[in-house]
Amino acid sequence: MGTAANLIALHWASFQWLLWISLYLILGIFVPWLITRAWVQQHGSDLQPRLKELFQHGELGLVGLVLAISGIWDLLRSQCMPHTRALGSILLAVSGIMAGAVWIESYCRRSTGTRFNPERAWRDSRSLAFLVFSMAAVIEILLDRFAKVAVQ
Amino acid sequence: MSAPTLALAEVQQRKVIVRLADPAVAAAYISVAFGLLLVFFPVWFPRMIVRNWWNGRLTIAMVVFTLLFDSAIYIRVAHLLSAKLEILAPACLGSLPIMIVVGLSSLLQSAISLTLSGYLPNIEARISEEIVTHTYFALVSAVFLPFVVIRLLEQFKTTKSKR
């Protein structure tokens, strides 16, 4: 019984990264879209909310920055060597800042009336958020592996 | 000069302006591939990385791969924009991936020395995980960071020329 419980705990620990990915996808992307749909239904509007329109001002860049912070936090709490923690944190921070910069630039352009292209803001923020998300996901997988090795 | 000739000259003189979205997507695909290989081949893939790191082939393979990959991204962007190639970007793309991979390889060596001096339990497995993690960081850095540098240099040049 105890061995089975240990086995389940070990398998659960191996797939924590999957929970991490699901949490961010659900709470960061799906829930805002769902809230928009709920608002549309409540107000009887004929708006057809799409992800592209919801995040057309580069908001995904901000999501990317938050993701990077979460990844850095997990990395700093890990038992990896300081070199690895520092390197991963810097890399995530650079990518996160670049993603956040898309949102900031988009805001500045709209506020000052400078030429603004929503298509470009959407494309840039989506690509950079995808990079941060994929990097943070791989880091979570690597940290799960490292945690298992450290426990043994 | 006629209008079509002027337009043609303008197209020919257009510079390649790399937006970070292009290398970001490429680096993200590398990340996804790396993650999938780790999930579906949890023993074979890390073992292959570690074996090649110890026999010294991994660093060379990574330098060659990142140089080719970065060049492919840059040439693709230039082709899509029908723009002429500049000297600054190819110079960065030719040198930065090598510097990043070699630099991070030295950093990994010092991380391994530190691990060995720590008398930690399960030391061999820890070192293997450090090698796999550093390999991933080096790969993504060598693909993405040169373009970040190019972008910053381009912005610096634009700001300077506006003054």
Side-chain angles (χ1 to χ4, degrees), chain B residues 62-85:
Chain B
M62 274 169 55
V63 165
V64 173
F65 173 77
T66 51
L67 276 176
L68 290 175
F69 202 76
D70 285 354
S71 310
I73 295 169
Y74 186 72
I75 290 168
R76 184 177 164 271
V77 172
H79 179 71
L80 286 176
L81 294 173
S82 310
K84 67 166 187 172
L85 299 174

Side-chain angles (χ1 to χ4, degrees), chain A residues 1-9:
Chain A
M1 193 70 179
T3 323
N6 281 346
L7 210 65
I8 290 168

Side-chain angles (χ1 to χ4, degrees), chain B residues 51-121:
Chain B
R51 197 179 52 231
N52 282 303
W53 193 81
W54 284 116
N55 65 29
R57 283 192 209 132
L58 189 71
T59 310
I60 299 163
M62 274 169 55
V63 165
V64 173
F65 173 77
T66 51
L67 276 176
L68 290 175
F69 202 76
D70 285 354
S71 310
I73 295 169
Y74 186 72
I75 290 168
R76 184 177 164 271
V77 172
H79 179 71
L80 286 176
L81 294 173
S82 310
K84 67 166 187 172
L85 299 174
E86 272 206 313
I87 189 74
L88 172 74
C92 280
L93 291 179
S95 56
L96 283 178
I98 301 172
M99 288 199 282
I100 290 170
V101 172
V102 173
L104 294 187
S105 194
S106 326
L107 190 74
L108 174 58
Q109 274 171 357
S110 58
I112 290 174
S113 309
L114 194 67
T115 312
L116 285 172
S117 64
Y119 303 107
L120 297 162

